[in-house]
Amino acid sequence: MDADFWHDRWAKQQIGFHQTDGNDLLQRHFLALNLAADARVFVPLCGKSRDIAWLLARGCRVVGIELSEIAVQQLFDEMAVVPVVSQIGPLTLYAADGVDIYVGDVFALTAKVLGQVDAVFDRAALVALPAELRSRYAAHLVAITDSATQLVVTFTYDQTQMSGPPFSISERMIKDLYAGSYDLHDLQTQDVPGGFKGKIPATETAWFLQAAS
C-alpha cells in the first residue's frame, strides 16, 4: 500500500473510514488525557476528521498531518474557515486560528516543525498502516512528540476475512510497539456496530498511553 492508494480513495471520495459524527471513544475518554486549557493535540493522518472541530470546541489547539490535500481542503471548507497556506520544506501547511494541518508524508514531519505537543489522538493512523510500517511509525511518533500522552483507537477482527485497512491491531501488537515508552491502559473495548462490511465481527478499543516513569 502506497500514497497512491490514499490519493485515489480521496479523489473518488471512497472514505468509508470518515466518521461524520466524530469518534465516540474520544468523546467518552477525552478527560483521561488530563489536558490544561489551550493544550495542543496532535492528530496524525487526520483526514477531514470531525474530531478536530470537537477538540477545538473544547479549548484545545490542534495540529495534524494528512497525505491528501483534498482531505485538508474539505476539512477547512466544512469548518467554514479560510486557512493561510504556506510551504514548510516538503510539507504544505494549512493554518488558521488554533489549528495547523500539514499536508504530506508523516515521516517527513520533524519535531522542530511539529512543535510542542501535549497529547496525541490517533484514531486513523496506526490502523491504516501495514505491518511493515508500524514499528517505524510508532518510533517516529514517540520521537517527534517527545513521548506525549496518547489516546489510541484500534480495531480487532479476523484479518483473514478482510485485508484492511483498517487493519486489526491486537493487544500484543500495541504492547510490542509502545510498551517500551509508555504504560498502557485499556480504557474501553466495544463492538463495532454491524461489524465491518456488515458481516465481519469487530471490536474497537481505546488505549491510554502514558509516558513510562
Side-chain angles (χ1 to χ4, degrees), residues 67-79:
L67 188 63
S68 169
E69 193 156 21
I70 292 173
V72 176
Q73 291 169 344
Q74 290 181 1
L75 168 67
F76 282 92
D77 286 347
E78 291 179 9
M79 292 195 301

Side-chain angles (χ1 to χ4, degrees), residues 124-148:
L126 183 61
V127 297
L129 295 172
E132 62 269 20
L133 284 180
R134 289 174 204 152
S135 292
R136 181 186 174 196
Y137 164 76
H140 181 64
L141 198 62
V142 170
I144 64 174
T145 67
D146 193 24
S147 303

Side-chain angles (χ1 to χ4, degrees), residues 33-104:
L33 294 172
N34 194 30
L35 297 175
D38 203 36
R40 196 162 184 254
V41 180
F42 179 41
V43 185
L45 278 62
C46 60
K48 60 173 184 175
S49 173
R50 295 288 176 83
D51 298 321
I52 292 173
W54 190 90
L55 288 165
L56 290 171
R58 275 138 194 89
C60 295
R61 293 173 294 140
V62 178
V63 56
I65 187 163
E66 166 57 42
L67 188 63
S68 169
E69 193 156 21
I70 292 173
V72 176
Q73 291 169 344
Q74 290 181 1
L75 168 67
F76 282 92
D77 286 347
E78 291 179 9
M79 292 195 301
V81 173
V82 178
V84 175
V85 182
S86 58
Q87 199 68 27
I88 310 293
L91 304 173
T92 302
L93 172 62
Y94 281 64
D97 187 25
V99 57
D100 300 309
I101 307 295
Y102 292 94
V103 178

Side-chain angles (χ1 to χ4, degrees), residues 134-164:
R134 289 174 204 152
S135 292
R136 181 186 174 196
Y137 164 76
H140 181 64
L141 198 62
V142 170
I144 64 174
T145 67
D146 193 24
S147 303
T149 297
Q150 295 192 44
L151 182 62
V152 183
V153 176
T154 60
F155 298 105
T156 305
Y157 64 92
D158 183 355
Q159 193 85 72
T160 66
Q161 296 188 56
M162 188 179 86
S163 59

Side-chain angles (χ1 to χ4, degrees), residues 9-23:
R9 291 285 293 271
W10 279 101
K12 295 177 179 177
Q13 289 296 286
Q14 295 175 344
I15 52 173
F17 47 83
H18 176 66
Q19 295 182 314
T20 55
D21 296 322
N23 185 262

